[in-house]
Amino acid sequence: MIDLARVSKIYESPAGPITVLRDLDLHVAAGESVAVVGPSGSGKTTLLNLLGALDQPTAGTVTIDGQALGALAPAAAARFRNRSIGFIFQLHYLLPQCTVLENVLVPRLAGGWDEPVATTRARAEALLEQVGLRDRLTHLPWQLSGGEQLRAAIARALINQPKLILADEPTGSLDPATGERIADLLLRTNAAARVALVVVTHNPALAARMATTYQFEHGRLVPQRGTSR
Ligand SMILES: Nc1ncnc2c1ncn2[C@@H]1O[C@H](COP(=O)(O)OP(=O)(O)O)[C@@H](O)[C@H]1O
Ligand SMILES: [Mg+2]
């Protein structure tokens, strides 16, 4: 599902270039779950942006679901993102003028869907129930707590039945019980539909639930002992 080959990312800055990823290789199969851990500034978000076709590497190739992302023009990259990838960002960018239910349905607006709206809507409601927001469908984002906003964003990330879920600290603002519930949902989705799951987290309990944990070290990913590879 994910194939990174000799990927480097170098940011230019007034103080000189910053090498964040260095000849990084990563393979994640369909149905695999991966945790990425590492200190602040080690490159975790940079990696997710490359995996999600939001940014380009300085060198190397990123292939997702057989598609070389470097070959995609911006409009095609946007379409690919919308259809294949579910993002859970740290800043969740809910549309302020739309209700919770409408926010979850936003990816549906991009087109290319071959199912009736009512079917998507029913799935949106089921997802919102699973994240514990059944009674918040008509709330606007500002009427939600931070953790509820995050959970709405998680439901939105899953509405398009992605092949790959990318999550940046999905339990960061949640209490342990709610975090556990979100981890259950992500892992259930991962197992049921063979969705690949890549989770960046500082939460050791969440990392431990993924099949494999990689630690960022000097711009590369090192598998942790005790995980599956
Ligand atoms: N657009 C950018 N331009 C310049 N430097 C950047 C940019 N994005 C990230 N960086 C730098 O790259 C490093 C890795 O950032 P990031 O991937 O966000 O780390 P993490 O998510 O692990 O905390 C940081 O030192 C950050 O300052
Ligand atoms: Mg980050």
Side-chain angles (χ1 to χ4, degrees):
M1 182 57 55
I2 296 177
D3 196 7
L4 297 199
R6 299 190 65 93
V7 164
S8 294
K9 183 68 183 180
I10 302 169
Y11 291 115
E12 298 302 333
S13 84
I18 305 169
T19 301
V20 178
L21 308 180
R22 201 183 297 267
D23 280 338
L24 181 148
D25 292 323
L26 175 66
H27 304 279
V28 181
E32 198 177 345
S33 61
V34 165
V36 175
V37 300
S40 172
S42 58
K44 305 181 298 295
T45 298
T46 298
L47 174 68
L48 286 188
N49 288 343
L50 296 181
L51 293 178
L54 291 170
D55 198 6
Q56 304 267 341
T58 309
T61 55
V62 179
T63 308
I64 306 289
D65 193 23
Q67 173 68 55
L69 298 189
L72 292 178
R79 203 158 45 239
F80 179 78
R81 252 192 325 268
N82 187 52
R83 288 319 309 266
S84 302
I85 302 178
F87 281 101
I88 302 167
F89 290 105
Q90 277 175 305
L91 302 170
H92 17 80
Y93 309 114
L94 294 174
L95 297 178
Q97 72 278 29
C98 293
T99 67
V100 166
L101 180 61
E102 287 164 353
N103 265 284
V104 173
L105 289 170
V106 160
R108 175 78 165 64
L109 300 177
W113 290 65
D114 38 22
E115 72 177 12
V117 179
T119 309
T120 316
R121 189 191 157 105
R123 206 169 55 244
E125 291 183 4
L127 278 167
L128 285 165
E129 169 134 42
Q130 290 178 67
V131 299
L133 294 178
R134 187 69 190 86
D135 298 328
R136 299 287 186 276
L137 299 189
T138 58
H139 276 54
L140 295 167
W142 64 269
Q143 296 170 318
L144 300 177
S145 73
E148 287 172 340
Q149 290 180 23
L150 173 60
R151 287 183 276 149
I154 290 171
R156 183 186 55 189
L158 300 181
I159 190 65
N160 61 358
Q161 300 177 304
K163 295 172 176 168
L164 169 61
I165 298 172
L166 302 174
D168 205 347
E169 281 289 0
T171 62
S173 56
L174 302 178
D175 60 274
T178 309
E180 192 83 358
R181 186 167 175 179
I182 292 308
D184 289 344
L185 172 62
L186 293 177
L187 285 161
R188 209 161 52 233
T189 308
N190 158 252
R194 288 184 49 76
V195 175
L197 175 61
V198 177
V199 174
V200 164
T201 185
H202 290 289
N203 177 347
L206 178 62
R209 296 188 61 182
M210 304 298 143
T212 310
T213 298
Y214 291 98
Q215 164 96 33
F216 254 110
E217 277 175 27
H218 310 295
R220 290 210 181 90
L221 290 172
V222 180
Q224 301 282 86
R225 274 199 298 277
T227 64
S228 70
R229 35 177 82 195

